[in-house]
Amino acid sequence: MLQNRGHNFSLDPGHANALEPGKRTYHTIIPGFLTRGGEAVGPFGVMGGFMQPQGHVQVVMNTIDYHLNPQAALDSPRWQWIKGQTILVESDFPQHIAQALVRKGHDIQVALDSSPFGRGQIIWRNLDSGVLCGGRKPEPMAPLRLGEPVHIIQNSKKIQK
């Protein structure tokens, strides 16, 4: 498999993501698999670079804490920690939660498109019935045709107190 996530590794032994024997260095090729009581529930994955581990937490939280089905877990409004106190949220993120975060000192920015949040897939197995249930969050951008120029612009607006 070809991928370019190796650019995040370092040969500097003092670096947090240094390559060394026996260490699992951080990268974003991280599929997920959920179990309950030692039994397989199923695979899931959220793509989107550094959003990926944050998206995994949100999908599992939506499934376990809020009892959402796979599609609803993927369709729920997402947030992404950017740096410091800056959080990027999707445009359908609940306004009252965004405003509460602003009052606590966070810099909340609303993405005008969902491309920074990636996509995802889930297949869960009901442990009682064995029935499989899936969900899919498609690529936020339309497919490109060969030879077509690519322009990616991340637009956002800031929520005020």
Side-chain angles (χ1 to χ4, degrees), residues 139-156:
E139 184 76 45
M141 294 173 50
L144 297 173
R145 289 172 281 206
L146 288 176
E148 189 174 307
V150 178
H151 303 283
I152 299 175
I153 301 170
Q154 181 177 332
N155 293 317
S156 66

Side-chain angles (χ1 to χ4, degrees), residues 59-137:
V59 162
V60 171
M61 181 183 70
N62 288 337
T63 299
I64 295 172
D65 296 338
Y66 299 109
H67 309 286
L68 298 182
N69 67 54
Q71 191 63 56
L74 289 167
D75 288 342
S76 293
R78 297 171 290 179
W79 52 267
Q80 182 180 10
W81 174 79
I82 303 299
K83 67 178 180 178
Q85 297 286 89
T86 303
I87 308 289
L88 184 66
V89 299
E90 287 188 299
S91 60
D92 57 346
F93 191 84
Q95 205 49 226
H96 71 282
I97 295 173
Q99 290 169 346
L101 290 168
V102 168
R103 286 191 298 274
K104 291 179 183 269
H106 293 278
D107 173 23
I108 303 299
Q109 298 179 0
V110 179
L112 300 179
D113 66 67
S114 61
S115 60
F117 299 93
R119 61 191 193 279
Q121 295 85 31
I122 299 174
I123 303 172
W124 295 149
R125 180 175 65 91
N126 182 298
L127 297 182
D128 297 324
S129 66
V131 171
L132 298 175
C133 181
R136 173 179 176 266
K137 184 89 168 182

Side-chain angles (χ1 to χ4, degrees), residues 2-4 13 15-16 33 46 50 52 58-59 62 73 84 87 91-92 109 114 130 135:
L2 298 175
Q3 47 95 359
N4 68 348
H15 191 275
F33 197 89
V46 176
F50 293 111
Q52 191 172 17
Q58 292 170 53
V59 162
N62 288 337
I87 308 289
S91 60
D92 57 346
Q109 298 179 0
S114 61

Side-chain angles (χ1 to χ4, degrees), residues 7-26:
H7 76 276
N8 291 323
F9 303 155
S10 176
L11 297 177
D12 175 1
H15 191 275
N17 208 29
L19 288 173
E20 58 186 63
K23 180 179 179 184
R24 292 184 181 189
T25 52
Y26 173 79

